[in-house]
């Protein structure tokens, strides 16, 4: 049975970069996100997000490859759904290279760990791998392409003894 919903989402971010040397730097980013669901209000949430990325370019030439290490943290709070409250910690390593002033390639591998505030029902772990290819057609037009491979805990079950007692008031769990 298919159901639909309308979502109002507002996000805001602030970022600051710091040059460490001629070949390296750090970017610090923070933000807030609000998602309001019209039909499924218990999915409405507010989240605080933070990201730190360190990028190093071994060769100082424009077409030289770069290496990036990044960490992200997100804390979410849901309306009327304490089981979903929690946080996500992510780490990633990626490499990239400009082949010309128009063509850029990137590849990376990351790990996401989600921990629920109460119980283990929403304790999920995923591994991501990605490839990106960007082509600047004109100074005002760029075509972006990407593919992502994701493996991990995307589906969870309510048949987990540690969380069954918490779910009983909400659903009939067998």
């Amino acid at each position: 049975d298919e159901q639909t919903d309308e979502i109002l989402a507002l996000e805001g971010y602030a970022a600051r970069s710091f040059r460490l040397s001629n070949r390296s730097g750090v970017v610090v980013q923070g933000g807030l996100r609000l998602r309001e669901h019209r039909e499924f209000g218990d999915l409405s949430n507010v989240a605080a997000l933070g990201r730190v990325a360190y990028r190093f370019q071994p060769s100082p030439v424009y077409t030289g490859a770069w290496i990036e290490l990044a960490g992200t943290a997100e804390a979410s709070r849901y309306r009327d759904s304490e089981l979903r409250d929690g946080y996500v910690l992510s780490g990633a390593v990626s490499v990239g290279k400009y082949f010309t002033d128009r063509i850029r390639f990137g590849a990376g591998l990351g790990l996401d760990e989600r921990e629920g505030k109460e119980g283990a029902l929403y304790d999920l772990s995923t591994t991501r791998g990605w490839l990106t290819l960007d082509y600047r057609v004109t100074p005002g037009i760029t075509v972006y392409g990407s593919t992502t491979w994701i493996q991990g805990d995307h589906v969870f079950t309510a048949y987990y003894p540690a969380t069954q007692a918490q779910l009983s008031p909400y659903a009939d769990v067998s």
Side-chain angles (χ1 to χ4, degrees):
D1 197 22
E2 192 173 305
Q3 297 180 354
T4 62
D5 197 359
E6 295 176 5
I7 302 169
L8 170 67
L10 299 172
E11 296 186 34
Y13 296 92
R16 175 85 165 104
S17 61
F18 303 94
R19 183 176 167 171
L20 301 178
S21 72
N22 288 336
R23 297 184 290 174
S24 67
V26 172
V27 176
V28 179
Q29 182 181 30
L32 292 173
R33 179 183 65 222
L34 171 69
R35 290 184 181 156
E36 184 66 32
H37 290 250
R38 185 174 179 180
E39 293 293 323
F40 303 105
D42 60 335
L43 294 177
S44 297
N45 67 82
V46 62
L49 307 104
R51 182 176 191 269
V52 175
Y54 168 76
R55 186 176 281 191
F56 175 74
Q57 189 173 13
S59 174
V61 298
Y62 180 76
T63 58
W66 68 81
I67 301 165
E68 182 177 279
L69 303 173
T72 304
E74 174 182 332
S76 300
R77 186 153 183 108
Y78 288 79
R79 179 188 302 142
D80 300 327
S81 185
E82 293 177 359
L83 282 174
R84 290 184 176 95
D85 291 350
Y87 62 90
V88 178
L89 298 176
S90 303
V93 60
S94 59
V95 295
K97 177 177 175 45
Y98 279 98
F99 289 101
T100 69
D101 63 336
R102 293 176 174 237
I103 301 171
R104 180 177 68 177
F105 172 79
L109 186 63
L111 175 66
D112 298 341
E113 290 288 331
R114 186 190 193 298
E115 297 292 325
K117 183 178 174 185
E118 295 184 19
L121 182 65
Y122 285 95
D123 293 352
L124 309 173
S125 177
T126 56
T127 304
R128 296 172 289 113
W130 64 90
L131 298 171
T132 62
L133 183 63
D134 306 341
Y135 179 70
R136 191 176 67 189
V137 180
T138 68
I141 299 173
T142 303
V143 177
Y144 299 97
S146 67
T147 185
T148 304
W149 164 82
I150 301 174
Q151 178 180 337
D153 303 324
H154 297 288
V155 178
F156 51 88
T157 178
Y159 189 71
Y160 184 72
T163 58
Q164 279 192 359
Q166 295 170 0
L167 286 174
S168 298
Y170 305 107
D172 181 28
V173 179
S174 57

